Amino acid sequence: QQQVKQSPQSLIVQKGGISIINCAYENTAFDYFPWYQQFPGKGPALLIAIRPDVSEKKEGRFTISFNKSAKQFSLHIMDSQPGDSATYFCAATPNTGKLIFGQGTTLQVKP
Amino acid sequence: EPEVTQTPSHQVTQMGQEVILRCVPISNHLYFYWYRQILGQKVEFLVSFYNNEISEKSEIFDDQFSVERPDGSNFTLKIRSTKLEDSAMYFCASRGGRDRHYATNEKLFFGSGTQLSVL
């Protein structure tokens, strides 16, 4: 299965709160799991990425948690800011270089 | 930071017409991609290109689509006979890796896209 399933479709969080976006996959050949951030009118931009041999990766306010046995991974945005309001896509790649994207989550951070 | 440049930003065409979407990838990159995003939906892979040939393509990338790197700097996507369902934002992307596998934190650089509207 080549799909990556992402939830929720949309998320509203208060400033300073934690935003959590979840993704699940089926293909065990996937070996690289990036998260992309997209602002309106722009292309997606890499936010943070993880490999399945690591259970957690943190960069600043952004953390990926990875559960290999459950085939799930999630993005946590700590201390969410209005500037984080964007669409977030999880993705995976099955060793071929192409990225398979999730459906996207529209995050709105209220001041 | 280096950028992938796409032109035009908007393209309106009649159904059945040919369109060429143009991209200038980052100069020392080796892998090139086209993705598309129908309004409100996920980003979908179309094709990857390496060493002057297609390395992988999706089911969407049928005989109506072709890619070319005519002069070592531009990377084009041609749709021979456009359909209404080809209306989407088309993104060009490039990366500099020496291997088809991503290095950790290796960026795939996306352009800002060409919004194609087929009437």
Side-chain angles (χ1 to χ4, degrees):
Chain A
Q1 284 289 350
Q2 294 283 304
Q3 285 188 0
V4 177
K5 295 181 181 177
Q6 183 172 347
S7 62
Q9 190 173 352
S10 62
L11 184 59
I12 300 174
V13 172
Q14 292 293 326
K15 179 182 173 182
I18 302 173
S19 305
I20 302 174
I21 304 170
N22 301 298
C23 285
Y25 65 98
E26 294 181 4
N27 189 341
T28 55
F30 289 165
D31 70 346
Y32 184 65
F33 301 87
W35 283 87
Y36 279 78
Q37 180 188 54
Q38 184 180 30
F39 292 104
K42 297 292 186 183
L46 179 68
L47 195 60
I48 186 173
I50 198 168
R51 294 204 176 277
D53 54 346
V54 174
S55 61
E56 185 176 280
K57 183 173 182 182
K58 184 175 180 179
E59 289 183 1
R61 296 184 294 109
F62 301 94
T63 300
I64 301 178
S65 297
F66 191 89
N67 186 329
K68 188 174 180 178
S69 60
K71 294 189 219 146
Q72 295 174 348
F73 59 111
S74 59
L75 175 69
H76 292 62
I77 306 173
M78 313 300 285
D79 187 25
S80 299
Q81 299 296 312
D84 297 330
S85 298
T87 299
Y88 292 81
F89 292 95
C90 62
T93 178
N95 290 331
T96 65
K98 78 177 184 185
L99 291 178
I100 297 168
F101 285 87
Q103 293 285 353
T105 296
T106 301
L107 171 65
Q108 182 184 359
V109 181
K110 291 195 167 183
Chain B
E1 188 167 70
E3 288 185 346
V4 174
T5 305
Q6 288 188 245
T7 55
S9 56
H10 292 86
Q11 174 93 45
V12 181
T13 190
Q14 295 290 325
M15 189 170 58
Q17 294 295 304
E18 175 184 286
V19 294
I20 298 176
L21 309 183
R22 302 181 191 279
C23 169
V24 179
I26 295 168
S27 61
N28 60 346
H29 281 186
L30 300 178
Y31 289 86
F32 312 109
Y33 304 83
W34 284 100
Y35 285 81
R36 78 172 186 189
Q37 185 177 29
I38 295 171
L39 185 63
Q41 297 187 24
K42 67 179 179 180
V43 179
E44 297 176 291
F45 169 79
L46 291 179
V47 65
S48 59
F49 192 86
Y50 170 73
N51 200 26
N52 284 320
E53 61 183 22
I54 290 174
S55 49
E56 189 172 5
K57 59 184 181 180
S58 72
E59 317 80 64
I60 303 167
F61 195 90
D62 61 22
D63 292 345
Q64 294 300 312
F65 290 85
S66 62
V67 289
E68 199 176 35
R69 188 157 160 79
D71 56 12
S73 63
N74 292 286
F75 181 50
T76 62
L77 174 70
K78 182 193 289 187
I79 309 175
R80 259 179 276 282
S81 178
T82 50
K83 307 185 195 70
L84 295 175
E85 55 264 36
D86 293 328
S87 296
M89 178 74 88
Y90 287 80
F91 292 106
C92 173
S94 72
R95 64 183 182 99
R98 297 296 183 262
D99 188 289
R100 66 176 187 170
H101 302 293
Y102 284 82
T104 301
N105 284 343
E106 180 184 354
K107 286 185 182 181
L108 180 63
F109 289 83
F110 283 84
S112 292
T114 293
Q115 180 65 55
L116 176 65
S117 299
V118 182
L119 305 179

